[in-house]
Amino acid sequence: MSATSAAYRGRFAPSPTGPLHFGSLVSALASWLDARAHDGAWLVRMEDIDGPRTVPGAAEDIFATLAAFGFHADEPPAWQSRCIDVYRAALDRLIASGHVYPCGCTRKEIADSQLHAHRRNTTLIYPGTCRDGLHGKPARAWRLRVPDDAPASAENPALIRFDDRWQGPQQQDLATEVGDFVLLRADGQWAYQLAVVVDDAAQGITHVVRGADLLDSTARQIWLQQCLGAPTSAYMHVPVVTNEDGEKLSKQTGAQALDASRPLEALTAGARHLGLDLHDPAPATLEAFQADAIDAWKRRLAQLHALA
Ligand code: GLU
């Protein structure tokens, strides 16, 4: 373990739904390179609270693969399944501060309410039915209130803006594009949005580097940080890896498990995906690759003006 700067704490947060594939390697590599380029700490958090999607043995397999690829965390790994009390405490604080409310609507009721209303892609925007009470229905889920849209002339409190270190300036109107969102699901599972925000705050994460498929969740996470009085992290969303059909690489879209016996090929391909210009495209050792890739990452950050 090397001396690291307390000013930078990054993380890689895989879900143990299967073995690591090339897409997840790119996220691990980008987060690791950014932490090392900042002399920061790099942590690993196993996001294992989605019971039905968790595959037995996948977490151990992921740890073994990370080690074979030369990624060593600076602290023992965190496990979301061991943090349930912390999620409950965060929800209790949000109940006390009036930021959340119980919701009794079924998915079908929400879908029906939107037949004539706007719909964003396939995401259902909750119409706010239970904001002022359950209307005699049993509580199923807990939702976080997002601010109401202000008139066009005034500053809009529902508009969340942030500068993504890779993708540039971003904004999302939570009122019209997202709606009040679920933190504790009807099936009793903690929602990803709550767990990720509470964990990043508890672990003191300052810099989040992950795949661009999560760009759309970031405004929600910033709003939740504000509701909890937690600091806002710096965000960087790197390009996702896609298959020939243009779909994000995942177990469902046919991603192959990484071959842990030949890490250098996949690592150099990952570096190419991130646009890194390595001095040696065929390094002989992990150490040689790492030193070259950290330098190349710093040059990439300078090109992106992303030295946060
Ligand atoms: N566990 C999430 C995933 O594997 C990543 C969460 C995050 O990095 O914020 O997609």
Side-chain angles (χ1 to χ4, degrees):
M1 184 152 71
S2 56
T4 57
S5 145
Y8 184 111
R9 287 171 66 81
R11 55 34 166 213
F12 172 55
S15 303
T17 52
L20 282 189
H21 52 75
F22 184 62
S24 30
L25 175 74
V26 165
S27 295
L29 177 62
S31 63
W32 184 88
L33 286 172
D34 201 47
R36 290 295 170 260
H38 285 83
D39 291 326
W42 184 75
L43 315 183
V44 176
R45 179 170 75 230
M46 201 46 76
E47 302 217 316
D48 61 340
I49 45 163
D50 194 342
R53 290 181 61 230
T54 295
V55 172
E60 292 68 23
D61 189 65
I62 290 173
F63 286 128
T65 308
L66 287 174
F69 279 71
F71 297 119
H72 299 287
D74 294 305
E75 292 176 14
W79 296 76
Q80 285 194 329
S81 56
R82 299 179 192 168
C83 296
I84 301 301
D85 292 351
V86 191
Y87 306 145
R88 169 51 65 190
L91 184 71
D92 286 345
R93 278 171 50 210
L94 293 166
I95 294 172
S97 59
H99 281 106
V100 290
Y101 61 89
C103 173
C105 298
T106 60
R107 235 188 120 65
K108 174 157 188 333
E109 284 169 330
I110 300 170
D112 289 351
S113 74
Q114 308 223 328
L115 285 179
H116 303 291
H118 59 272
R119 211 185 240 262
R120 186 168 165 265
N121 303 323
T122 54
T123 310
L124 295 175
I125 297 173
Y126 184 63
T129 320
C130 295
R131 269 190 160 198
D132 55 358
L134 282 161
H135 306 285
K137 293 189 281 192
R140 294 166 50 83
W142 282 88
R143 283 184 189 273
L144 183 71
R145 273 173 217 278
V146 301
D148 290 318
D149 257 338
S153 55
E155 192 168 316
N156 180 1
L159 191 69
I160 302 287
R161 297 173 199 267
F162 62 99
D163 257 319
D164 189 86
R165 295 174 53 224
W166 190 291
Q167 310 283 340
Q170 305 291 314
Q171 63 175 53
Q172 190 174 55
D173 184 327
L174 291 177
T176 58
E177 297 181 57
V178 178
D180 297 346
F181 55 95
V182 168
L183 299 185
L184 179 58
R185 294 182 348 207
D187 61 2
Q189 302 271 341
W190 294 97
Y192 157 69
Q193 308 293 358
L194 178 87
V196 77
V197 165
V198 170
D199 288 337
D200 282 341
Q203 294 184 280
I205 299 300
T206 57
H207 290 68
V208 171
V209 178
R210 59 188 179 189
D213 52 313
L214 292 164
L215 190 57
D216 190 58
S217 286
T218 306
R220 267 170 279 184
Q221 294 174 13
I222 291 174
W223 170 239
L224 182 50
Q225 285 162 351
Q226 291 173 3
C227 295
L228 286 166
T232 296
S233 326
Y235 287 96
M236 174 182 261
H237 289 87
V238 300
V240 292
V241 181
T242 52
N243 65 13
E244 291 105 61
D245 299 328
E247 299 162 323
K248 182 197 159 213
L249 210 59
S250 70
K251 210 173 66 175
Q252 292 72 30
T253 60
Q256 301 294 309
L258 291 167
D259 179 352
S261 66
R262 295 160 68 207
L264 283 166
E265 263 172 50
L267 285 167
T268 48
R272 273 199 305 280
H273 177 82
L274 292 166
L276 302 189
D277 116 56
L278 296 177
H279 288 308
D280 180 0
T285 63
L286 281 176
E287 291 69 25
F289 166 76
Q290 289 176 342
D292 195 5
I294 292 169
D295 280 348
W297 181 261
K298 288 179 182 166
R299 293 194 295 277
R300 190 83 181 92
L301 292 185
Q303 278 171 353
L304 290 163
H305 306 290
L307 291 166

